[in-house]
Amino acid sequence: MSWHQGTLVGFDLETTGTDVENDRIVTAALVRLDPDGTVAEQRTWLLDPGVAIPEQASAIHGIGTDHAREHGARAASAVEEIAHAVADVLRSGVPLVVMNARYDLSLLDRECRRYGLPSVEDRVGGAPSPVIDPLVIDKHVDKYRKGKRALQALCDHYGVTLDGAHDASADAVAAVRVVRRMGERHRPVGTLPPAELHALQIRAAAEQSASLQAYLRRSDPAAVVEASWPVIPRSR
């Protein structure tokens, strides 16, 4: 049975911003989908990130500072739960679907470091795997398609309904359903074992970053685009 025909788990974060080194988790979701696409299990978290949530971020995911402080869990304890749950999925061998994994998994890694907690990498004894990233796969199988590649755009392209965009649970479910469609439509990736698909994405992400970096350096010779996937290495 191909990976896209089996159980998949989607993971998503909503955060205070886009800087993996300094921003914080506001909400998180881990959603298990059965082979028929139904949601079998889900866990969600609302955190008090310990910092003010910028208005730009609140406008996207709908969580403001006051709400997070009143209703959110203490960040350190929630990050421990999230990292533990993600590691459990990976240890089970079930593929973890993460849209733009380089961002979500790196930010989770930095949150673990912030609170002195074992990272997902520490917990599983190596780099998180197998991870399936709809963004990396879509760019690999359809590299010349024009237009945006955000989750909503991928849902539109692959015929997946996204109800409640920027809600962590809704985004996690949509990412899984999108990547199933990719596996069905693009047999070269749909027939790979998860470990081989993971390795392909490492190479593809590096190639995509190198291409973008070359393009950006036409106007900015110092431009650097991170090539590592699915986690950006920590700076010393």
Side-chain angles (χ1 to χ4, degrees), residues 114-164:
R114 180 172 292 116
Y115 297 111
L117 301 169
S119 67
V120 171
E121 185 172 353
D122 295 331
R123 296 166 197 260
V124 301
S129 176
V131 174
I132 301 178
D133 187 337
L135 179 62
V136 172
I137 293 176
D138 184 62
K139 289 181 176 179
H140 175 71
V141 299
D142 202 356
K143 65 177 65 178
Y144 299 115
R145 190 177 79 248
K146 302 294 185 181
K148 296 180 180 179
R149 307 227 185 198
L151 182 58
Q152 181 65 70
L154 295 187
C155 286
D156 293 342
H157 182 71
Y158 287 96
V160 171
T161 299
L162 174 53
D163 294 321

Side-chain angles (χ1 to χ4, degrees), residues 9-13 96-105 131-139 148-155 171-172 174-176 178-179 182 229:
V9 175
F11 177 61
D12 188 71
L13 300 177
L96 184 72
V97 178
V98 193
M99 175 70 182
N100 193 13
R102 178 186 282 139
Y103 171 74
D104 287 52
L105 294 182
V131 174
I132 301 178
D133 187 337
L135 179 62
V136 172
I137 293 176
D138 184 62
K139 289 181 176 179
K148 296 180 180 179
R149 307 227 185 198
L151 182 58
Q152 181 65 70
L154 295 187
C155 286
D171 285 359
V176 170
V178 161
V179 89
M182 291 179 180
W229 180 95

Side-chain angles (χ1 to χ4, degrees), residues 63-79:
I63 307 296
T65 301
D66 291 343
H67 180 84
R69 286 175 177 170
E70 181 177 356
H71 301 286
R74 189 170 63 90
S77 60
V79 170

Side-chain angles (χ1 to χ4, degrees), residues 9-15 24-31 43-49 73-91 96 104-105 107-109 111-112 115 117-121 123-124 168:
V9 175
F11 177 61
D12 188 71
L13 300 177
E14 297 299 328
T15 65
R24 312 292 180 90
I25 298 170
V26 179
T27 63
L30 201 60
V31 186
R43 294 188 66 183
T44 60
W45 293 265
L46 169 64
L47 285 65
D48 173 2
R74 189 170 63 90
S77 60
V79 170
E80 165 62 30
E81 290 182 7
I82 296 165
H84 179 82
V86 169
D88 274 353
V89 172
L90 294 170
R91 280 193 293 262
L96 184 72
D104 287 52
L105 294 182
L107 195 145
L108 176 58
D109 177 88
E111 285 276 57
C112 288
Y115 297 111
L117 301 169
S119 67
V120 171
E121 185 172 353
R123 296 166 197 260
V124 301

Side-chain angles (χ1 to χ4, degrees), residues 19 42 85 111 119 184:
D19 181 351
Q42 66 177 345
E111 285 276 57
S119 67
E184 294 165 358

